[in-house]
């Protein structure tokens, strides 16, 4: 019998180099902090911080940055047994600029190809993927081979068992330019465009999570309720539509609707908020909470990380989320603060 994990995520990993000076373009920044990064990896970290047994399926370069990522995963309590090296490509690095409250440009260095797109289906531990209580995959995992085939193989192995989350995670710069043309048109549904790839994955997922841009790529719908209904029509049981400053909308196939406003927060860096939301979403779904409680908890976790500089090391502990919910707002606390 495979070991049982609460959460297994699959996809992107890298090193985040974030400026320690906010409100400055990169050309004028002198100092940076180094952090573990990559959205699905951060989701695993967030779940682990909330007490869940988590692992990530991904790949790094065979280099010092790859060693650093293994070290960080272990320190955060995330199982790294399925994080393997690729000789041909370096570990990716991502820079950002920080202009609070809502401008955080990202600069991805993933050329000629990121190791996390070299996940091969033959190397997957499908028994572990199948038995995990939550399996989390992303749209980026569908942008290139062999990652695309491996992600779909993992989804088929799940066969909609347990909770299977599709983070729509639309990053157009990772896709071939030709494949993104008219991606939300009717004709594209039978092509190899992102919309077609997303539809294929949605048929295997039980939960979909995305912002309005991501929902539009997946369904052609941008209005939140229409997007949620389209995601459910595509196969999921729960559609979670993130609306930024308007909060989050969750619609369940059974008719349950939760439209939850954001928690007030003074934003420092909004880049990790969605990953904290994801880890907290997994936690709440595993706990069996009703939909509105899950959304409020996930909103609070995301807001806490938005109040901090980093992503992975900023993921909150349960007592911090509960304190924010009790206070009805987020008060600043040092990044990575511990009890």
């Amino acid at each position: 019998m495979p070991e049982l994990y609460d959460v297994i995520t699959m996809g992107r990993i890298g090193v985040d180099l974030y400026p320690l000076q906010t409100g400055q373009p990169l050309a004028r920044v002198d100092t940076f902090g180094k952090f573990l990064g990559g959205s699905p990896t951060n989701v695993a970290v967030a779940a682990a911080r909330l007490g869940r047994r988590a692992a990530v399926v991904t790949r790094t370069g065979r280099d010092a940055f790859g060693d650093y990522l293994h070290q960080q995963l272990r320190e955060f309590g995330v199982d790294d047994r399925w994080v393997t090296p690729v000789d041909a490509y370096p570990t990716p690095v991502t820079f950002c600029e920080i202009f609070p409250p809502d401008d955080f440009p990202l600069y991805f260095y993933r050329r000629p190809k990121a190791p996390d797109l070299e996940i091969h289906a033959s190397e997957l531990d499908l028994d572990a993927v199948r038995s995990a209580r939550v399996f989390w995959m992303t749209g980026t995992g569908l942008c290139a081979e062999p990652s695309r085939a491996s992600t779909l193989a993992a989804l088929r192995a799940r066969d909609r068992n347990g909770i299977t989350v599709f983070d729509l995670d639309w990053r157009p710069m990772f896709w071939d330019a030709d494949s993104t043309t008219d991606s939300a048109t009717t004709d594209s549904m039978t092509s190899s465009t992102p919309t077609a790839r997303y539809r294929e994955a949605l048929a295997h997922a039980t939960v979909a999570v995305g912002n309005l841009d991501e929902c539009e790529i997946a369904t052609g719908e941008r209005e939140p309720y229409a997007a949620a209904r389209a995601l459910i029509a595509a196969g999921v049981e729960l559609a979670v539509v993130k609306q930024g400053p308007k909060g989050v909308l969750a619609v369940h196939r059974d008719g349950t609707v939760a439209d939850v406003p954001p928690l007030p927060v003074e934003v420092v860096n909004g880049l990790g908020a969605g990953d904290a939301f994801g880890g907290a979403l997994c936690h709440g779904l595993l706990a069996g909470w009703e939909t509105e409680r899950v959304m409020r908890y996930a909103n609070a976790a995301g807001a806490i990380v938005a109040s901090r500089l980093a992503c992975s090391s900023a993921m909150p502990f349960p007592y911090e989320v509960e304190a924010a919910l009790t206070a009805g707002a987020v008060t600043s606390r040092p990044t990575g603060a511990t009890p």
Side-chain angles (χ1 to χ4, degrees):
M1 289 288 293
E3 295 182 68
L4 182 62
Y5 289 83
D6 292 316
V7 179
I8 294 179
T9 69
M10 179 175 177
R12 207 163 66 247
I13 194 170
V15 175
D16 286 346
L17 293 174
Y18 284 0
L20 300 182
Q21 299 151 275
T22 63
Q24 298 288 336
L26 284 182
R28 296 176 59 183
V29 173
D30 296 321
T31 55
F32 296 84
K34 182 178 66 174
F35 307 98
L36 176 146
S39 181
T41 303
N42 282 337
V43 169
V45 171
R49 276 274 168 96
L50 295 172
R52 299 297 178 177
R53 186 167 189 233
V56 61
V57 179
T58 189
R59 306 195 74 183
T60 71
R62 193 183 294 275
D63 51 29
F65 276 156
D67 294 341
Y68 165 76
L69 295 176
H70 277 280
Q71 172 190 318
Q72 287 291 286
L73 287 168
R74 292 165 186 160
E75 289 183 5
F76 288 132
V78 176
D79 196 320
D80 65 344
R81 69 180 63 192
W82 297 302
V83 182
T84 58
V86 176
D87 291 326
Y89 305 119
T91 299
V93 174
T94 301
F95 289 87
C96 77
E97 293 175 322
I98 300 177
F99 297 100
D102 58 4
D103 187 18
F104 308 101
L106 282 167
Y107 302 87
F108 293 98
Y109 291 81
R110 291 170 59 88
R111 300 291 183 182
K113 187 179 185 181
D116 54 60
L117 295 176
E118 282 291 297
I119 301 172
H120 292 264
S122 61
E123 299 168 343
L124 294 176
D125 186 340
L126 292 179
D127 287 338
V129 168
R130 188 179 296 110
S131 65
R133 298 176 69 196
V134 175
F135 177 66
W136 178 288
M137 47 73 63
T138 76
T140 294
L142 303 173
C143 77
E145 295 291 3
S147 173
R148 180 186 301 128
S150 300
T151 300
L152 292 171
L155 288 173
R156 286 191 292 268
R158 292 282 292 177
D159 194 27
R160 298 176 62 83
N161 175 58
I163 301 166
T164 302
V165 184
F166 182 3
D167 176 3
L168 302 180
D169 183 42
W170 172 237
R171 305 282 181 174
M173 69 287 291
F174 298 160
W175 291 73
D176 180 88
D178 292 338
S179 73
T180 62
T181 304
D182 297 327
S183 62
T185 66
T186 301
D187 290 344
S188 75
M189 300 305 179
T190 57
S191 72
S192 60
T193 62
T195 296
R197 302 299 186 187
Y198 275 45
R199 288 299 181 96
E200 187 175 4
L202 282 168
H204 299 283
T206 64
V207 180
V209 183
N211 60 32
L212 296 177
D213 291 336
E214 293 165 341
C215 289
E216 186 173 19
I217 287 295
T219 69
E221 299 286 353
R222 188 171 183 85
E223 193 281 323
Y225 281 89
R229 289 192 295 269
L231 289 168
I232 290 171
V236 305
E237 299 294 317
L238 176 65
V240 180
V241 182
K242 296 186 285 188
Q243 305 174 79
K246 293 184 178 180
V248 61
L249 169 69
V251 179
H252 197 279
R253 183 178 293 277
D254 67 8
T256 301
V257 176
D259 198 345
V260 178
L263 210 61
V265 59
E266 184 175 342
V267 175
V268 174
N269 182 359
L271 291 175
D275 303 336
F277 182 100
L281 172 68
C282 294
H283 178 66
L285 292 175
L286 287 170
W289 296 340
E290 52 96 20
T291 301
E292 183 166 341
R293 181 182 178 187
V294 175
M295 295 305 121
R296 290 189 182 280
Y297 193 93
N299 257 0
I304 290 169
V305 173
S307 74
R308 299 171 175 176
L309 174 67
C311 293
S312 53
S313 61
M315 296 301 166
F317 294 93
Y319 81 93
E320 294 176 299
V321 182
E322 295 296 343
L325 288 169
T326 299
V330 174
T331 56
S332 295
R333 185 178 179 88
T335 295
T338 55

